[in-house]
Amino acid sequence: MPINLISIMNKSLTLFFCLLLLISAACKKPHRTDPPVETHEVTFNISGLDLNLTTGPIVNSVGDKLKTNSTTPYFLSYTLYDQSNKTLTIKQTDGTSTPVIKDNIPNGTYTATFFLINLSANSGYVVPSGGNIQNITNSNDFFSKKITFVVSGNSVTQNVILNRIDAKIEVKLKDDTIPKHVSRIYLSLPDSTQFNTLTQQYLSPATVNTLGVYLDGAKKGITPAPFASYTSNHITPFTLSIVAVFDNSAQTYTKVISNVVCERNKITVLTGKLFGGTAGIGVSIPKTWAPADTVKF
């Protein structure tokens, strides 16, 4: 009887593939599903804030704590870090009610930073990058806080009172003879536009000009009402200029004031005459925000 080679080959191939299937099935491991990571709700109540500074709201007995006011708009940035300062979560919110931040995170030790800006004077968002807050302007009031906390199997609720991170300079010209062709008066001073929320420090300052006060219409030739500027420069004494701009903007008059000292959470007041008299400009720090110092030169 002749041997059917084709039939033998077909049977051999069939047996071979069957063996492969058996080996594959034997080697295949059962699929494992990792259990879900258990998280817990964390709530931060940003309490005691009053962003309306017209009444000098800081109460000295409690330092930076401010009265409650729910009518002034704010922008709040929250960043969550692990123990190696790796960014885990960024949340940003704005509104007028008391700020509340909620997060859901696993057990562990964390760092959280908060940065709040009063937007009533100059709206605009800031974006955190490596802990740095950019585009800080001297027309806004700023608050910040860095905290460390532990999550260990239960929800966490924590009240966070932010610290004011800037100082304030106020200019009060007394019965000054303002030329009628002066259209604007502003301050020029070294200041910083970046704040690092992890170190809670401002970056190196550069010279900036404040918004100041504009003199037009009925304000021409009249001593202007006091005007103010926030500043980050509250570490070392610095030189500040009060600049008067004439109508054509090409001519200015500058009064240079040396050795100006500002302190965080305090108002430094510059008083005197810019054009008339010989009294010059005096510097003092009143008790509006915190216990005062006085600097004369």
Side-chain angles (χ1 to χ4, degrees):
M1 179 182 233
I3 298 174
N4 191 337
L5 295 177
I6 296 177
S7 176
I8 293 173
M9 291 180 63
N10 286 338
K11 290 179 180 179
S12 298
L13 287 172
T14 302
L15 289 173
F16 176 74
F17 285 115
C18 288
L19 286 172
L20 283 179
L21 289 173
L22 289 173
I23 294 172
S24 175
C27 294
K28 187 176 181 181
K29 295 181 179 179
H31 179 69
R32 295 175 57 186
T33 302
D34 293 331
V37 177
E38 183 181 6
T39 61
H40 307 281
E41 184 177 73
V42 178
T43 302
F44 299 105
N45 297 310
I46 313 301
S47 61
L49 287 174
D50 179 354
L51 303 180
N52 185 350
L53 299 181
T54 56
T55 56
I58 285 188
V59 180
N60 292 334
S61 61
V62 289
D64 294 341
K65 185 175 180 180
L66 305 176
K67 301 175 185 176
T68 299
N69 185 331
S70 60
T71 60
T72 304
Y74 65 84
F75 167 75
L76 174 65
S77 175
Y78 153 84
T79 306
L80 181 71
Y81 301 90
D82 64 12
Q83 288 182 287
S84 63
N85 284 338
K86 177 184 176 181
T87 302
L88 302 177
T89 306
I90 295 176
K91 292 179 180 287
Q92 297 177 342
T93 183
D94 55 11
T96 57
S97 59
T98 302
V100 177
I101 292 289
K102 290 183 179 292
D103 207 346
N104 287 281
I105 54 181
N107 291 342
T109 301
Y110 300 92
T111 295
T113 62
F114 305 84
F115 183 87
L116 187 143
I117 173 176
N118 174 4
L119 294 179
S120 62
N122 182 21
S123 297
Y125 290 153
V126 288
V127 179
S129 175
N132 285 340
I133 301 294
Q134 311 283 341
N135 303 324
I136 291 178
T137 66
N138 49 32
S139 58
N140 297 110
D141 199 8
F142 298 95
F143 302 82
S144 187
K145 189 81 169 185
K146 172 186 173 182
I147 65 170
T148 299
F149 65 97
V150 177
V151 179
S152 58
N154 297 301
S155 60
V156 176
T157 299
Q158 186 165 341
N159 293 329
V160 180
I161 299 176
L162 306 187
N163 298 320
R164 177 177 274 116
I165 61 174
D166 46 22
K168 192 175 185 180
I169 299 176
E170 187 175 73
V171 178
K172 292 182 178 180
L173 300 177
K174 295 183 176 181
D175 301 322
D176 207 353
T177 305
I178 306 296
K180 290 186 177 182
H181 46 286
V182 170
S183 58
R184 180 189 174 203
I185 300 176
Y186 67 88
L187 303 179
S188 180
L189 69 156
D191 215 340
S192 177
T193 59
Q194 297 184 61
F195 179 82
N196 189 285
T197 55
L198 282 172
T199 63
Q200 292 289 291
Q201 296 291 332
Y202 279 100
L203 276 66
S204 300
T207 300
V208 300
N209 297 329
T210 69
L211 294 175
V213 60
Y214 288 88
L215 305 174
D216 53 17
K219 298 179 181 178
K220 284 285 188 179
I222 299 176
T223 301
F227 62 95
S229 171
Y230 297 102
T231 177
S232 66
N233 201 337
H234 46 69
I235 306 219
T236 57
F238 58 93
T239 297
L240 172 150
S241 298
I242 303 178
V243 182
V245 181
F246 293 86
D247 289 335
N248 59 14
S249 298
Q251 184 179 3
T252 60
Y253 172 80
T254 300
K255 174 69 177 180
V256 177
I257 305 171
S258 302
N259 202 34
V260 176
V261 178
C262 290
E263 295 184 37
R264 186 190 63 80
N265 199 41
K266 287 187 179 181
I267 302 175
T268 296
V269 180
L270 309 179
T271 60
K273 294 179 179 292
L274 183 58
F275 290 97
T278 58
I281 303 292
V283 179
S284 65
I285 304 178
K287 297 181 179 180
T288 307
W289 286 3
D293 299 321
T294 300
V295 178
K296 294 182 180 179
F297 61 92

